[in-house]
Amino acid sequence: MAQGIIIILGGTDASSGTVLNTILHSLSGAMQNFPPVVSAWLMYVFQSVFNFFVVSGSGQAALTMPIMAPLADLVGVAVLAFQLGDAFTNFIVPTSGCLLGALAAAKLEWGSWAKFQIKFQAVLVVFASLAVVLGVVIGLS
């Protein structure tokens, strides 16, 4: 599915005029005005939100890395945002088959789990944001 979307967006050839390259160019132009720390944090937020729609790590990488990796090079930020955005939100997104299977086995409803998990998610967002900022400051990109 992810590869099909990449093909529909025109592929990953950086030298051709594709929808994917247009998105990349627009995002990089907009993010070049931001400090690298802000750009990295926005990339983390984007990945966290995108994980709701595409829970699969490999599918998410196939869809977003053609945009995120070159964008990280263009604005000088680390791609750590992808890893953290994909990882921590898996504990709460209701679109995760693994999470829902585990909750079903434990006989827990997702709403009860979300109420329990939301405070932990806030802590994870704070620490992930700090990690992304630290990555930019020490030059992980």
Side-chain angles (χ1 to χ4, degrees), residues 9-137:
L9 291 178
T12 58
D13 180 21
S15 62
S16 62
T18 65
V19 173
L20 195 59
N21 288 339
T22 302
I23 293 169
L24 173 61
H25 179 72
S26 299
L27 286 173
S28 67
M31 290 181 77
Q32 284 178 340
N33 297 327
F34 296 139
V37 169
V38 173
S39 297
W41 187 79
L42 289 173
M43 291 169 74
Y44 161 68
V45 170
F46 170 78
Q47 285 299 144
S48 296
V49 171
F50 193 76
N51 193 42
F52 177 82
F53 300 102
V54 180
V55 181
S56 164
S58 58
Q60 191 175 3
L63 288 172
T64 62
M65 286 317 253
I67 296 170
M68 297 289 278
L71 186 59
D73 291 340
L74 290 172
V75 297
V77 295
V79 185
L80 178 64
F82 169 80
Q83 296 168 327
L84 295 174
D86 175 46
F88 294 144
T89 53
N90 286 332
F91 292 129
I92 199 165
V93 292
T95 53
S96 171
C98 293
L99 174 64
L100 293 182
L103 292 177
K107 297 181 181 172
L108 284 172
E109 292 184 14
W110 180 83
S112 299
W113 173 252
K115 287 178 186 175
F116 170 77
Q117 182 68 17
I118 197 72
K119 291 178 186 174
F120 185 57
Q121 283 297 310
V123 171
L124 290 175
V125 166
V126 169
F127 282 114
S129 297
L130 290 173
V132 169
V133 169
L134 180 65
V136 172
V137 170

